[in-house]
């Protein structure tokens, strides 16, 4: 018998009328011949209210107690939903995460799912019940309640769909699908008919709050096709699947993380091990770091900057106080008034000019870029928070994201249903592993690149656009771009990698520009090695950073450039160290490479 998972978010269960409407949807699905599992969020803004209440009582409420508190919101919705279905004359049973047996680790408020027991659910479904799971919660080894992190009911839904080999996983929410960007900020945003797992993973982790990013990790790992749709209308919604919407759009969407904070360690020793000391302390605290940017060192010193969500700033600064003396940093600075604007698209790998378009768009509205990082699938720029929404609009317009793409890919893609062979494959992948365990595809080494660094670049609107437009005009293919925060007011430094045969022409252009712009100096390295680790959820698995930096530090290898994304981490080291770096990464990730 076919099985559907239907998840209803907070606004979709905000009052008794909405609960009744959701109950009817589930009953309709059952009447159409499906077994139905519902996953419900807390009603309306209930989770926010509980968080506020906790903060009125305690500045830093114990995480264990937060979980006991927050899990009640979903429990209320689940019980009410079961009552609603019962009142309509159908059988329903609500279950908490503990009752189901959603086993997690013990990282309170951010727990990861290890395994899910399906026995009780199967039994209740076979007895003709609609099953209602309280979202976003689980239980750890000590039988303590855990929660999966804000927005985590999506993850419950996709994880249940995976273990139950569901035929469909429908996410009902207050928008009628995934848009090219948050339609509340940019009204011209367009609903996309389909988005690929990798793109959605990046968009979600870069601020597209419509889906919890970890739910997409599950979807990709266990082949769950997700259907995001409105709980109020019958519009077709968006499929999240293994294919992108179109191969004509280079960029599929834009996102903003409004509440971001920049932290910089100034003048730290530019030696192997510095990054490990810094990021291992953050990873221990499960802080997911983004936009890691390091100036290419001068006189043995470097500046290291990165961004974290504002909510994690306090614990990040605690970690920095701990590490400051260890890495002999002269100063730790931070700015909690910044936002990160990003564009995402699988098509970027194939196309040049994406970075220039983004920088030009920001220049035209007079917005200064404080930091830049790029990878094969995303570009992020850090801007002042007061300018973030304008930046998002400008970027959305520059990439013409509001327009329908053409030509479209064929719509059939993967079948709705998992074939029997696929089911067996998924089940075998589930056996004996933690469901959310790290999962890597490959580690590669590219020895064909050179690095160019411009120091003391004026930090004002338009400079990045000018530099990259000139480089592109000369036909030089820039791969990685990293623009870092500079302690000297009004200056930044910019590093990029280019193919070795194009180094000379790049140096000529950059040399001329450097004089024109009044930069301090240019350095370069004719042969660097770029190592790429690709997989799923690399940024949210904070252990990736720990293991990677430890391996390189133990091998005495200094990291010159780095960029991180959910699906790929790239690092650049001196060319002659490439093979050794590859070996140490392969060793340290041997267990995660499937
Ligand atoms: P739920 O309570 O149903 O889980 P959320 O509030 O978590 O709903 O997610 C839906 C909201 O996500 C929308 O109202 C919208 O403002 C926001 N959002 C952000 N980015 C996007 C996007 N790219 N597409 C659609 N919605 C988005
Ligand atoms: N209620 C939780 C939250 O608001 C989980 C969820 O809705 O997904 O974050
Ligand atoms: Mg949500």
């Amino acid at each position: 018998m076919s099985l559907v998972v239907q998840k209803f978010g907070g606004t979709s269960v905000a009052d008794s009328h909405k609960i009744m409407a959701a109950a009817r949807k589930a009953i309709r699905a059952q009447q159409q011949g499906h077994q139905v599992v519902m996953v419900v969020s807390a009603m309306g803004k209930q989770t926010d209210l509980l968080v506020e209440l906790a903060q009125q009582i305690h500045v830093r409420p114990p995480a264990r107690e937060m979980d006991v508190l927050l899990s009640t919101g979903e429990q209320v919705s689940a019980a009410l939903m079961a009552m609603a279905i019962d009142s309509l004359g159908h059988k329903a049973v609500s279950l908490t995460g503990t009752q189901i047996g959603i086993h997690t680790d013990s990282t309170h408020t951010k727990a990861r799912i290890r395994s899910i027991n399906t026995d009780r659910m199967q039994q209740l479904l076979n007895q003709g019940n609609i099953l209602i799971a309280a979202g976003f919660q689980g239980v750890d080894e000590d039988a303590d309640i855990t929660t999966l992190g804000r927005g985590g009911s999506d993850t419950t839904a996709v994880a249940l769909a995976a273990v139950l080999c569901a035929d469909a996983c429908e996410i009902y929410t207050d928008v009628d699908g995934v848009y090219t960007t948050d339609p509340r900020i940019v009204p011209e945003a367009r609903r996309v008919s389909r988005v690929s797992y990798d793109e959605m993973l990046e968009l979600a982790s870069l601020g597209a709050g419509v889906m919890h990013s970890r739910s997409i990790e599950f979807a990709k790992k266990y082949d769950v096709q997700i259907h995001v749709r409105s709980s109020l209308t019958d519009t077709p919604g968006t499929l999240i699947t293994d294919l992108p919407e179109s191969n004509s759009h280079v960029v599929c969407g834009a996102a903003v993380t409004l509440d971001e904070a920049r932290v910089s360690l100034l003048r730290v020793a530019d030696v192997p091990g510095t990054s490990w000391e810094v990021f291992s302390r953050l990873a221990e605290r499960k802080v997911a770091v983004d936009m890691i940017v390091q100036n290419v060192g001068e006189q043995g010193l470097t500046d290291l900057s990165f961004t974290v969500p504002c909510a994690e700033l306090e614990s990040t600064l605690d970690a920095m106080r701990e590490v400051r003396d260890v890495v002999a940093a002269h100063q730790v600075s931070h700015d909690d008034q910044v936002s990160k604007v990003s564009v995402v698209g699988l098509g970027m790998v194939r196309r040049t000019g994406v970075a220039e378009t983004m920088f030009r768009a920001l220049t035209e509205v007079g917005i200064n870029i404080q930091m830049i990082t790029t990878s094969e699938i995303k570009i992020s720029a850090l801007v002042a928070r007061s300018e973030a929404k304008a930046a998002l609009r400008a970027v959305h317009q520059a990439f013409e994201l509001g327009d329908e793409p053409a030509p479209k890919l064929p719509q059939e893609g993967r079948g709705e249903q998992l074939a029997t062979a696929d089911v067996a494959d998924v089940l075998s992948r589930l056996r004996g592993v933690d469901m959310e365990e790290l999962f890597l595809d490959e580690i590669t080494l590219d020895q064909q690149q050179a690095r160019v660094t411009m120091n003391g670049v004026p930090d004002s609107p338009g400079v990045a656009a000018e530099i990259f437009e000139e480089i592109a005009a000369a036909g030089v293919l820039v791969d990685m771009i990293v623009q870092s925060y500079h302690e000297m007011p009004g200056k930044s430094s910019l590093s990029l990698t280019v193919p070795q045969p194009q180094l000379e022409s790049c140096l000529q252009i950059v040399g001329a520009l450097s004089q024109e712009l009044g930069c301090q100096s240019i350095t370069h390295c004719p042969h660097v090695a770029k190592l790429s680790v690709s997989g799923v959820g690399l940024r949210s698995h904070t252990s990736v950073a720990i293991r990677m930096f430890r391996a390189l530090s133990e091998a005495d290898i200094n990291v010159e450039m780095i960029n991180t994304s959910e699906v790929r981490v790239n690092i650049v080291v001196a060319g002659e160290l490439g093979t050794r770096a590859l070996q140490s990464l392969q060793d340290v990730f041997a267990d995660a490479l499937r």
Side-chain angles (χ1 to χ4, degrees), residues 89-405:
H90 292 261
K91 286 167 66 174
V93 175
S94 70
L95 294 177
T96 63
T98 308
Q99 287 173 309
I100 294 175
I102 300 185
H103 299 284
T104 70
D105 64 19
S106 302
T107 317
H108 286 291
T109 76
K110 288 183 207 172
R112 277 187 178 270
I113 298 177
R114 288 188 161 155
S115 66
I116 300 179
N117 190 343
T118 52
D119 299 345
R120 179 126 188 235
M121 289 191 287
Q122 293 287 10
Q123 193 187 4
L124 289 167
L125 289 167
N126 291 341
Q127 290 164 357
N129 292 290
I130 292 179
L131 195 115
I132 301 141
F136 140 88
Q137 54 185 273
V139 63
D140 74 1
E141 269 171 1
D142 301 324
D144 280 335
I145 298 174
T146 53
T147 64
L148 310 181
R150 296 304 306 270
S153 296
D154 298 328
T155 296
T156 306
V158 182
L160 290 183
V163 290
L164 293 166
C165 292
D167 300 273
C169 179
E170 298 170 346
I171 305 288
Y172 288 97
T173 180
D174 62 355
V175 268
D176 55 6
V178 176
Y179 278 66
T180 46
T181 196
D182 190 340
R184 282 194 229 180
I185 305 180
V186 184
E188 305 80 52
R190 179 181 64 87
R191 179 166 50 80
V192 299
S193 57
R194 168 200 293 269
V195 58
S196 70
Y197 293 131
D198 283 354
E199 290 168 326
M200 193 65 227
L201 195 51
E202 294 295 354
L203 282 170
S205 112
L206 293 168
V210 61
M211 289 299 294
H212 193 228
S213 72
R214 278 166 46 202
S215 69
I216 315 297
E217 293 180 23
F218 267 102
K220 182 175 175 190
K221 262 160 86 171
Y222 301 110
D223 272 321
V224 180
Q225 175 164 287
I226 300 174
H227 191 175
V228 182
R229 47 195 314 193
S230 162
S231 55
L232 303 172
T233 69
D234 281 326
T235 33
T238 301
L239 285 183
I240 306 175
T241 170
D242 47 6
L243 289 177
E245 182 182 45
S246 141
N247 44 13
S248 69
H249 258 178
V250 184
V251 168
C252 75
V256 62
T257 314
L258 287 173
D259 294 326
E260 196 79 349
R262 175 193 52 78
V263 176
S264 301
L265 284 160
L266 302 176
R267 281 172 287 154
V268 292
D270 188 17
V271 292
T274 299
S275 303
W276 145 244
E277 293 289 354
V278 173
F279 295 115
S280 61
R281 283 173 173 76
L282 292 171
E284 275 161 18
R285 290 167 167 84
K286 305 274 185 225
V287 174
V289 177
D290 197 21
M291 292 193 83
I292 301 174
V293 156
Q294 187 178 340
N295 293 353
V296 175
E298 281 182 300
Q299 290 138 16
L301 295 177
T302 184
D303 301 327
L304 182 63
S305 299
F306 54 88
T307 62
V308 294
C310 276
E312 315 264 28
L313 181 60
E314 277 309 314
S315 64
T316 302
L317 293 177
D318 280 350
M320 293 307 103
R321 277 186 276 276
E322 228 177 84
V323 79
R324 190 183 158 157
D325 291 337
V326 182
V327 298
H330 287 219
Q331 199 189 331
V332 178
S333 78
H334 71 270
D335 181 353
D336 60 5
Q337 294 301 312
V338 289
S339 300
K340 178 174 64 186
V341 177
S342 311
V343 295
V344 169
L346 286 176
M348 283 185 200
V349 209
R350 299 187 303 271
R351 223 59 87 71
T352 55
V354 185
E356 294 93 276
T357 307
M358 175 153 177
F359 304 153
R360 175 57 57 199
L362 296 176
T363 304
E364 275 167 10
V365 287
I367 292 174
N368 190 33
I369 307 173
Q370 302 182 9
M371 272 164 56
I372 299 169
T373 58
T374 67
S375 85
E376 285 77 359
I377 183 174
K378 70 159 186 185
I379 302 177
S380 296
L382 197 70
V383 301
R385 184 160 316 136
S386 55
E387 298 179 325
K389 290 185 180 172
L392 184 68
R393 276 184 226 113
V395 166
H396 190 270
Q397 198 180 7
F399 287 102
E400 300 172 342
L401 290 175
D403 302 344
E404 274 305 322

Side-chain angles (χ1 to χ4, degrees), residues 8 12 16-26 28 81 231:
F8 293 87
S12 310
S16 54
H17 295 291
K18 292 193 170 134
I19 291 178
M20 292 305 292
R24 283 191 202 95
K25 250 193 218 307
R28 210 178 313 140
M81 188 64 76
S231 55

Side-chain angles (χ1 to χ4, degrees), residues 375-376 480 530-532 561-563 568-572:
S375 85
E376 285 77 359
M480 274 168 79
K530 175 182 167 193
L531 295 122
S532 304
M561 283 167 81
I562 178 160
N563 62 42
R568 206 168 163 116
V569 177
N570 296 314
I571 59 166
V572 169

